[in-house]
Amino acid sequence: MKKFDILRYIKKGKYWIVLASLVAGMLFYFIQSQKQTYVARTMIEYTYHEAAEGKNPRGEDLDVSEVKSTTVLQRTISQLNLSESIDSIRSALSYQGVLSSDESSVKSAMLAEGKEYTKQPTRYLVTYTVDSSKSSEYANSVLDAVVSNYITYFGEKYVSTHIIPNNAAAAVEEAYDYLEKADLMNSHIEAILDYMDGKGDSFLSFRCASIDCTFQVLYDQYEFIKDHDLPYVYVDILDSKISNDLELLLAAYRQRVENGHVEINYNSNAAAGIHETMDQFSKKNKESIGKAADSVGNSYSYILQNVYENERENVIVDRTTTYDRLIDEYTNYLISASNVEVDVNYYNYIINTFRSKSTQTSEEKKATKERITHSLQGISEKLDSLYQKLLLGVNEYNAERGSSKLRMRTNVSVIESMNIRRYAIIIVFVFGVLMSGVIIVIGRVSDFVEYTFWTDHVTGLPNRRRCDQYIDEMSKNMLQENFACIMLKLLNIREINSQFGREGGNQILSMIAETQKNVMPQEAALFYNGNETFICFVEQCNLDRATHLLNGITQQINAINDERKELNIQLKTAMTESTSEKVFNIRAILSSTFKKL
């Protein structure tokens, strides 16, 4: 039987081992890919002080679920041009508060003592999970967009500064007269300047990367238009008394005058009523202080005594008296009346100015209208350009302020529920080892079967049954050219057995078989057919090569006889080559060789 050689079995079954291992790995990869999930995750942190108390910047309860709000998800879908619905993305999103190790220790200690832990987490782990129909890159981009949009949304809702509308855009509409257009532009500029003034120095000094300047630069440009460009337009309009519809313009300003008088009367009457109340209050207050002074000694000590007592008791007292409030209201009404009166005087000035006839000719009026229209259009374009810059800057300012309150603490990372590639490689390796073991077992079993049923135990060559099987298989097709059949027969086996015994005869047969193995090519089919006869079939073997092989065997046997003369091995040989003898059937070539033997 063949020697137990692991490498021989593995080498023989290497293709099966590789194929089975790859199929197992690919099958595992395919099945698990259908069950794979990708989890994108990132950490967000609320960085303002009130967040630890569970409050948003407005002092209201902090609602972290707004990360899944419709506004945030709709912006994400629009930004990434997704086909997913809001509900499908929302269902895949989740968040969880995360405490630091120190905070967790404090919480555990307080709960162990039966105390309530009120501090809220300021860090939250946000995750987005998708199945195998989506990729890890998809999960990464969606979560990144969701968190970015949430930060923007949070800033807009709780931190951001809202910009006033662009009222100057309506100033160029044909429905307004020239003077009204100029007034609208002037009002818009004043509103913008008041808006920017109200934000403070930190706002004005903020440098916007999107417009490459500070808000102070925009402020100065608005002021320049108000102080230089618009006054020239006003002068041109008033000097030329240009109007699209003079009667309609005068009617509008008369209505303003009437409304102004109504407002002046209202403010004056309100101020007079408050003044009367102030007089009555002062009178009553003097009487009450006089009565208190009689019991204390003087009114001054009485008033101070009440103040000092309240301060000793650490009671915060509103020092603004009713009389002070009345004075404030009285002053406000008077100021309002005075301001409206100034406006009424301006309206009357406009009416009187436009009542006087213009000295311009029709051609001059036409040229003036074109000039004023061009100037107003130019100012409108400047204001629109400045407003767009202001809008971009405010958005950037809001984003910066929002990110200062809420930030993404870590970059988005994606993890797989299972590292399929790694496990597939492991499966290939493990299955390769298992298949190698199976191949070794099968190979060894095949050796036992081959040895038991298909091998001659004396020579170690395939036996007659295997030879008959080979002949049956080859007889199904015509032989190729240069197919040789070589036979050897030991003639003096009886003498050898008589001289050396049966065991000695078997050794001689084994020696002849080994000699043929050494001489014949590896691809040759070598059999022991019984009755001391050896048969060898060699493909791609012409007559010369067959003769050479046969001579090689004869020389080897002769060398053995020369070395051990007592053996006296006597062989008879024969051969047939298909091409030279025109025989292309294995049974025919076998029969021809037997006849020559």
Side-chain angles (χ1 to χ4, degrees):
M1 189 173 67
K2 294 180 180 179
K3 183 181 178 181
F4 181 72
D5 186 355
I6 294 178
L7 293 179
R8 176 170 61 86
Y9 299 128
I10 293 177
K11 184 177 180 180
K12 186 176 181 180
K14 60 183 178 181
Y15 296 110
W16 286 107
I17 294 172
V18 172
L19 180 62
S21 301
L22 291 178
V23 169
M26 293 173 63
L27 187 62
F28 172 83
Y29 187 89
F30 176 77
I31 294 174
Q32 290 302 319
S33 294
Q34 307 305 311
K35 303 176 182 179
Q36 181 68 289
T37 58
Y38 302 99
V39 182
R41 57 184 184 177
T42 186
M43 186 82 71
I44 62 174
E45 181 179 15
Y46 298 91
T47 56
Y48 57 96
H49 178 71
E50 296 84 355
E53 301 173 1
K55 302 294 183 182
N56 60 36
R58 292 181 182 175
E60 303 166 349
D61 290 339
L62 177 62
D63 185 9
V64 186
S65 66
E66 287 182 335
V67 71
K68 300 170 27 173
S69 66
T70 301
T71 303
V72 171
L73 299 185
Q74 186 60 57
R75 290 181 181 179
T76 300
I77 291 173
S78 300
Q79 177 182 339
L80 300 179
N81 195 24
L82 302 178
S83 59
E84 302 293 319
S85 66
I86 291 177
D87 289 337
S88 63
I89 296 179
R90 179 182 287 132
S91 62
L93 279 170
S94 63
Y95 59 89
Q96 182 179 6
V98 178
L99 295 174
S100 65
S101 57
D102 292 340
E103 291 171 341
S104 299
S105 300
V106 173
K107 181 178 180 180
S108 300
M110 293 182 67
L111 293 177
E113 294 177 1
K115 298 180 180 179
E116 183 180 2
Y117 184 81
T118 58
K119 188 175 181 180
Q120 298 296 316
T122 58
R123 299 175 186 175
Y124 288 84
L125 180 66
V126 184
T127 60
Y128 177 66
T129 306
V130 296
D131 57 24
S132 58
S133 63
K134 302 290 190 268
S135 64
S136 59
E137 292 78 11
Y138 174 87
N140 187 305
S141 60
V142 170
L143 183 61
D144 184 70
V146 166
V147 174
S148 298
N149 285 313
Y150 173 57
I151 291 174
T152 302
Y153 170 81
F154 185 85
E156 290 174 352
K157 186 172 182 179
Y158 300 111
V159 184
S160 297
T161 298
H162 298 283
I163 191 170
I164 63 176
N166 186 11
N167 295 326
V172 294
E173 294 181 5
E174 294 297 331
Y176 294 103
D177 212 326
Y178 298 107
L179 186 60
E180 292 175 318
K181 292 178 181 179
D183 286 340
L184 282 173
M185 292 180 183
N186 187 66
S187 298
H188 171 71
I189 294 174
E190 289 180 347
I192 291 291
L193 293 176
D194 289 342
Y195 165 83
M196 298 176 75
D197 270 330
K199 300 305 173 187
D201 293 338
S202 61
F203 175 84
L204 292 174
S205 61
F206 182 82
R207 185 174 187 85
C208 306
S210 56
I211 58 177
D212 194 26
C213 67
T214 63
F215 286 116
Q216 182 66 53
V217 173
L218 299 183
Y219 185 92
D220 294 340
Q221 291 176 351
Y222 271 110
E223 268 198 332
F224 183 85
I225 295 174
K226 181 179 184 298
D227 296 339
H228 296 83
D229 293 348
L230 270 180
Y232 283 109
V233 177
Y234 272 111
V235 170
D236 211 356
I237 294 173
L238 295 176
D239 283 349
S240 60
K241 304 176 181 62
I242 290 296
S243 172
N244 286 328
D245 190 334
L246 180 59
E247 291 303 322
L248 183 61
L249 177 65
L250 293 175
Y253 273 87
R254 291 191 191 100
Q255 184 63 46
R256 294 183 186 182
V257 171
E258 292 179 6
N259 293 339
H261 285 307
V262 170
E263 190 171 352
I264 290 172
N265 290 334
Y266 170 79
N267 289 327
S268 299
N269 292 334
I274 291 176
H275 189 273
E276 183 179 352
T277 303
M278 289 166 58
D279 290 339
Q280 294 178 2
F281 180 83
S282 179
K283 181 179 179 181
K284 293 291 185 183
N285 195 42
K286 289 179 181 179
E287 292 177 357
S288 62
I289 291 175
K291 293 179 181 179
D294 292 340
S295 60
V296 176
N298 60 72
S299 58
Y300 177 76
S301 62
Y302 169 73
I303 295 173
L304 290 180
Q305 181 181 3
N306 290 337
V307 171
Y308 295 149
E309 287 178 356
N310 287 333
E311 288 181 349
R312 283 196 300 269
E313 295 172 2
N314 295 322
V315 177
I316 299 175
V317 180
D318 185 3
R319 304 303 181 191
T320 304
T321 64
T322 303
Y323 191 79
D324 293 333
R325 293 191 180 93
L326 290 174
I327 291 177
D328 288 341
E329 292 182 17
Y330 176 73
T331 304
N332 289 336
Y333 279 119
L334 289 180
I335 292 174
S336 297
S338 177
N339 291 337
V340 175
E341 188 173 357
V342 172
D343 292 339
V344 168
N345 290 335
Y346 170 73
Y347 300 149
N348 283 324
Y349 166 75
I350 296 297
I351 292 171
N352 293 331
T353 300
F354 276 88
R355 274 179 180 172
S356 61
K357 293 183 179 180
S358 174
T359 59
Q360 290 184 334
T361 63
S362 59
E363 291 298 326
E364 290 174 337
K365 286 183 178 180
K366 182 179 180 181
T368 303
K369 285 184 178 181
E370 291 178 355
R371 183 175 65 252
I372 294 175
T373 300
H374 180 72
S375 298
L376 289 172
Q377 184 66 37
I379 294 174
S380 176
E381 290 175 358
K382 288 182 182 179
L383 292 177
D384 185 65
S385 176
L386 287 175
Y387 184 84
Q388 296 305 320
K389 290 182 179 180
L390 180 62
L391 187 61
L392 284 174
V394 169
N395 289 337
E396 183 178 335
Y397 178 75
N398 288 339
E400 192 276 337
R401 291 188 67 195
S403 62
S404 67
K405 303 291 184 181
L406 172 61
R407 63 173 179 169
M408 188 186 297
R409 186 173 178 85
T410 61
N411 294 328
V412 177
S413 61
V414 181
I415 59 173
E416 301 173 340
S417 60
M418 175 184 289
N419 192 330
I420 300 179
R421 295 180 184 85
R422 179 188 300 170
Y423 282 100
I425 293 173
I426 294 174
I427 289 294
V428 169
F429 176 77
V430 172
F431 211 83
V433 173
L434 294 176
M435 278 299 299
S436 298
V438 171
I439 289 294
I440 292 171
V441 171
I442 293 175
R444 194 56 180 167
V445 170
S446 297
D447 287 347
F448 278 109
V449 173
E450 182 78 17
Y451 180 77
T452 303
F453 297 101
W454 308 103
T455 303
D456 178 73
H457 295 174
V458 174
T459 62
L461 296 177
N463 58 21
R464 183 171 185 171
R465 284 195 296 269
R466 177 62 77 186
C467 182
D468 292 341
Q469 186 183 50
Y470 177 82
I471 293 171
D472 289 340
E473 292 176 358
M474 295 297 290
S475 64
K476 296 177 182 178
N477 300 300
M478 183 180 291
L479 297 177
Q480 298 178 356
E481 292 184 350
N482 300 324
F483 185 90
C485 175
I486 300 173
M487 287 189 186
L488 288 83
K489 184 175 179 63
L490 181 61
L491 299 177
N492 58 339
I493 186 65
R494 291 184 180 179
E495 291 78 357
I496 293 174
N497 286 339
S498 298
Q499 185 178 355
F500 300 103
R502 188 171 185 84
E503 184 176 349
N506 290 343
Q507 289 179 355
I508 297 298
L509 290 174
S510 178
M511 186 183 302
I512 297 173
E514 194 65 30
T515 301
Q516 292 184 83
K517 289 180 185 179
N518 294 334
V519 175
M520 292 297 178
Q522 188 175 3
E523 66 272 12
L526 184 60
F527 303 95
Y528 179 68
N529 199 41
N531 297 323
E532 298 79 44
T533 303
F534 298 89
I535 302 176
C536 183
F537 298 102
V538 187
E539 297 180 6
Q540 300 298 323
C541 182
N542 57 27
L543 183 60
D544 292 339
R545 186 185 183 194
T547 303
H548 176 73
L549 292 174
L550 192 56
N551 290 336
I553 295 173
T554 302
Q555 290 175 5
Q556 292 281 340
I557 297 300
N558 290 337
I560 294 174
N561 285 333
D562 291 341
E563 185 178 349
R564 298 179 63 183
K565 297 183 181 298
E566 72 277 7
L567 296 179
N568 190 26
I569 301 172
Q570 299 178 15
L571 288 178
K572 187 175 183 180
T573 61
M575 69 175 181
T576 302
E577 193 269 324
S578 61
T579 303
S580 60
E581 300 191 19
K582 309 297 183 189
V583 180
F584 295 97
N585 181 276
I586 193 169
R587 295 188 186 278
I589 201 172
L590 185 64
S591 175
S592 174
T593 308
F594 266 119
K595 289 178 181 179
K596 295 177 182 180
L597 190 63

